[in-house]
């Protein structure tokens, strides 16, 4: 439900910023624009969503349950992509402004994306276009969990284990 950016240089956290908009806002936008439930919007985002409009099939449609209508409406997948890309671009522009102010985008490593929205196809391409730096998606490999959504939970488990290990050493 939020977006966090961390700038790390020479193994030190140099800046952290939180924007109170994230993947949940993308889902809400789909729900509002298509007049469907949040549950349906989340399913559409996961099943046919694409963060980068040029990568979508402009002819393929998907059935959408519209609130208050008995009949299902067919919506072009590209329209869903437009909704997703618009919100993500807005979020990324806020981050870009913050990162530009501290010169972080001139650092050589680029951007690593993790979390639930990182699973959206095309998010790396959209991010590269907006920030003009190399981008990669972090996919964890911890106890056979290989899905960006679990990055935060895995980090907490690793921190807990590390804290316990340090405590045992003392």
């Amino acid at each position: 439900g939020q977006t966090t950016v961390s700038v790390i240089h020479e193994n030190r956290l140099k800046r952290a910023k939180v924007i109170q908009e994230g993947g949940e806002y993308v889902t809400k936008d789909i729900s509002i624009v298509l007049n469907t439930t949040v549950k349906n919007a989340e399913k559409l985002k996961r099943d046919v969503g694409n963060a980068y409009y040029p990568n979508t099939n402009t002819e393929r449609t998907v059935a959408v349950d519209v609130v208050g209508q008995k009949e299902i409406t067919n919506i072009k997948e590209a329209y869903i992509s437009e909704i997703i890309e618009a919100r993500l671009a807005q979020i990324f522009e806020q981050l870009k402004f913050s990162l530009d102010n501290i010169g972080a985008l001139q650092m050589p490593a680029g951007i690593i994306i993790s979390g639930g929205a990182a699973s959206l196809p095309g998010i790396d391409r959209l991010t590269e276009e907006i920030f003009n730096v190399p981008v990669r998606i972090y996919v964890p490999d911890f106890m056979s969990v290989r899905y960006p959504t679990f990055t935060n939970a895995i980090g907490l488990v690793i921190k807990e284990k590390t804290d316990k290990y340090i405590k045992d050493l003392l």
Side-chain angles (χ1 to χ4, degrees), residues 35 58 60 77 88 112 130 148 154 166 169:
N35 196 26
T58 57
R60 193 167 38 221
E77 287 182 11
L88 291 175
I112 300 170
I130 290 172
I154 290 168
I166 291 170
L169 285 175

Side-chain angles (χ1 to χ4, degrees), residues 48-87:
V48 300
N50 196 306
Y52 191 61
Y53 179 81
N55 286 351
T56 59
N57 182 328
T58 57
E59 298 304 316
R60 193 167 38 221
T61 61
V62 61
V64 177
D65 289 324
V66 176
V67 174
Q69 291 185 9
K70 291 181 182 179
E71 294 183 22
I72 291 178
T73 303
N74 286 318
I75 302 290
K76 291 193 182 240
E77 287 182 11
Y79 187 52
I80 296 169
S81 178
E82 283 183 69
I83 298 166
I84 294 169
E85 183 178 312
R87 174 59 80 169

Side-chain angles (χ1 to χ4, degrees), residues 5-127:
V5 63
S6 302
V7 178
I8 300 169
H9 183 249
E10 296 177 350
N11 292 324
R12 298 198 113 140
L13 180 65
K14 299 292 183 179
R15 171 82 82 166
K17 179 168 179 72
V18 176
I19 295 176
Q20 296 302 322
E21 298 174 34
E24 184 179 314
Y25 279 69
V26 173
T27 302
K28 288 178 183 177
D29 287 352
I30 294 168
S31 174
I32 291 166
V33 172
L34 300 182
N35 196 26
T36 191
T37 66
V38 172
K39 182 178 178 182
N40 288 340
E42 181 67 23
K43 184 169 176 23
L44 289 168
K45 180 178 80 172
R46 290 177 187 248
D47 293 350
V48 300
N50 196 306
Y52 191 61
Y53 179 81
N55 286 351
T56 59
N57 182 328
T58 57
E59 298 304 316
R60 193 167 38 221
T61 61
V62 61
V64 177
D65 289 324
V66 176
V67 174
Q69 291 185 9
K70 291 181 182 179
E71 294 183 22
I72 291 178
T73 303
N74 286 318
I75 302 290
K76 291 193 182 240
E77 287 182 11
Y79 187 52
I80 296 169
S81 178
E82 283 183 69
I83 298 166
I84 294 169
E85 183 178 312
R87 174 59 80 169
L88 291 175
Q90 178 205 14
I91 292 168
F92 290 163
E93 289 296 337
Q94 291 178 60
L95 294 176
K96 185 174 190 234
F97 178 77
S98 178
L99 294 174
D100 274 341
N101 283 340
I102 62 168
L105 295 175
Q106 282 68 50
M107 294 169 56
I111 294 174
I112 300 170
I113 304 173
S114 68
S119 301
L120 281 168
I123 195 165
D124 50 347
R125 183 66 187 104
L126 177 64
T127 308

